Amino acid sequence: MKHILMKLKTAVIAVGLLSGSAMSASVPLVKNLHEGWKFKQARLTNWYPATVPGVVHTDLLQNKIIEDPFFRLNERGLQWIDKEDWIYETRFSLSSDMMQKENMDLVFEGLDTYADVYLNDECILKADNMFRRWSLPVKQYIKEGDNVLKIYFHSPIKIDVPKWDALPYHYPASNDQSENGGLLNKKISIFARKAGYHYGWDWGPRLVTSGIWRPVYIKAWSDSRINDVFIEQKQVNASKAVIAGHIELNADKEMNDVTVTVTDEATGKILGKQQTNLKKGINQVTVNFALSKPKLWWSNGLGEPYLYRFRTDVTANKEILDSKTEKVGIRSLKVVHQPDKDGHTFYIELNGRPVFAKGANYIPCDNFLPRVTPDIYKKTILDAANANMNMLRVWGGGTYESDLFYDLCDEHGIMIWQDFMFACSMYPAEGELLESIRQEAIDNVKRLRNHACIALWCGNNECQDAWLGWGWKPEIEKQSKEYADKVWAQYQQQYHVTLPEVVKEYAPETFYWPSSPFAFEGEPSGTTDGDRHYWSVWHGKVPISDYNKEKSRFFSEYGFQSFPEFESVKRYAPNPEDWDIRSEVMMSHQRGGDHANGLIETYLLNEYKTPHNFQSFLYMNHVLQGDAIKTAIEAHRRQMPYNMGTLFWQHNDCWPVASWASRDYYGRWKAQHYYARKAFEDILISPIVEEDELKVYGVSDRIKGASGKLQVQVCRFDGKIIHDWSKHVSVGGNTSQVYFSAPLTEVLKDTEKGDVYVRVVYADKSGKVYDNNYYLGKQKEMNYPKVNLTTEVQPMAGGYEVTVSSDKFARAVFLSIADNESLYSDNYFDIQPNGSVKVQIATQLPVDKFKESLKLTCLNNEF
């Protein structure tokens, strides 16, 4: 009853606040400018309807001027678009209430990229940075009635090629696909403050966009408005949170007796109040307050990611002038980077507790960013949370993500490693460009600093290691040591002066890391200090088993490639002649080229037997990728606390492609994602052979220890048990420890390695069961028997429950149906001899069509 009364009380408070705001004539008014847009090629005459937010490619597609850029080979024929200038135009009028306001700000949340903005034929802005937020006072230009807003987008190619031509040396940009764009070797992406992946990457197409890619609106106000609220958490622990609310106000005149109030919206309690006088222009007001026994924000798996709603009101003469609400998670979050006996630690400490980071690297969900809907964002973040991740790394060749992305990470306890938008390149960071970079950093640090999920800011992706270890420095030194010294000086100014200064000033409690990977300035990364990108498995062609040997303090990148599954491939390559990994279409959707295809084949044939057709190849490639990343995750977790993080490359794709992603462009989980979900559970039971000993590790992320029964079995594939051991053990919280060890010869009892598998099961006293299967050789060395798989289908709400049974041990059973929107509770799973697994499948297919299209694939029967 108390809970219900509190809900009613909160609702009454909220209604009262809304009513008060609605009655106030002083609050700012906002008009979105998203309607009535048209666009044209600047040198031509035909106008077409445009969608805002959007980009020119999606507008051309919607008007049927181009075909789907992601379908088959269409990308190749669309390289003319970025060589053209484009004009966007709309007309709008404002209400009389808005016209009566003293001030009007025209706000662009994002312009991509070189854009001249005209309002009623007056040029009011020349934008040059996709990542900036532009706010312009426009009261003097606005007319009653019809107003014309026009934006002239200059071709980024035409703007930046002359910059490349003018330099006596050239900055490296390893992933810029200039040749695909008809620019030969002119890798010009480094000149534009624009998403690097638009120019191509080793998993993405070259589609260089222009457009109004984020919302545009007019905000009209009088007297004063809130520009920004920063909730600075100066001290946080379980008993008290000391907070400073820094409010930036813009006043159009001097004002006395203005009151700034911070309220907890959930309770209606006023937390802090400050009375002040305002000068004309920008004012900074601080409201200090404290929370007793705050509800703390925890990362996924450790507790509730609780969010407060702090509302800031600005009042004068008993009227609300402006109001702004921030959702804030109260937490103490530190990156602990300090000397120890092995080098330097690198780990997250959340609310005083070391946290092992489990997750993946994140790239943009589409090449055309306005197409990323709220539903896509929700699925993307839920797919991370539901795979037991607690961290995503927002990689530096994409974009600073939308507010919704970070809101969802706050809500689901996903910590964010946030790169600044620089990747795999060196940049001419001086003069106007460096100042643009500084302003970009200020805009985004201020925008994101209230989000509980932000764990750290990182200067760039791989730029220092590339300069020191990829041959970039000696290549420029061949031309001139003076040039090389200049490039390195620009690098140091950018990442060791400008960006850390911005973070220190605008988010003083947040950790800054100069590069990833990084150990020390001017030195290559390593295994004992800082973070590491480990690519010897894959690029270095070493065996997958080497994951078990390699060490780091924090693995922030590693990965293994696969193609999408066959149902996904058919969406972008539907013709049977496309169904070969070296067909023209499949090669176009493999940006690693034949080198990457060769790596997949080499690893596959080294670990598995030869696939018998294209579909079999795709399936086995998925199992291969899943097994590889499972091996890596388990190895990294066993290293705790020496290693305290494992972020695989990568969580998602920006188009349908062969890549390192664990989820394909359409959101379908690959084997890797299912395997990662299990390997990321709060307790991992991990068997491994080390020096001819079979060992079983128990690794726990729990705050408290667990007690339960551990069972270790060596089983034949027909179900006969060769070795059986069990014991009640306590798995300590936040630890990695060996709980079973025996000579391999002892547990095998003269049985061949290829005839058995190791089965481990841990059941804690709460009834939760953790299990794992381990193989004593490569998959091609396993003597898997042919199996008989049977299914039983039962309808359920939103789909069907399928029970899959097997007479013998079945390896990596994969279910698929002819429904691109279907979702599976599990897939690529093993079935124990004479056992079964239940899978829930969400689908709209009628039962007859479902049964008809249901297909089962199993590794046993593929060999």
Side-chain angles (χ1 to χ4, degrees), residues 524-539:
S525 59
T527 62
T528 59
D529 306 88
D531 68 315
R532 185 182 184 194
H533 293 190
Y534 176 67
W535 286 103
S536 292
V537 175
W538 186 254
H539 289 304

Side-chain angles (χ1 to χ4, degrees), residues 105 221 223-227 248-252 278-283:
D105 295 328
W221 57 281
D223 299 331
S224 180
R225 59 161 291 188
I226 298 173
N227 282 352
E248 182 181 294
L249 300 173
N250 195 358
D252 61 11
L278 301 181
K279 68 180 189 297
K280 184 177 181 179
I282 302 299
N283 297 261

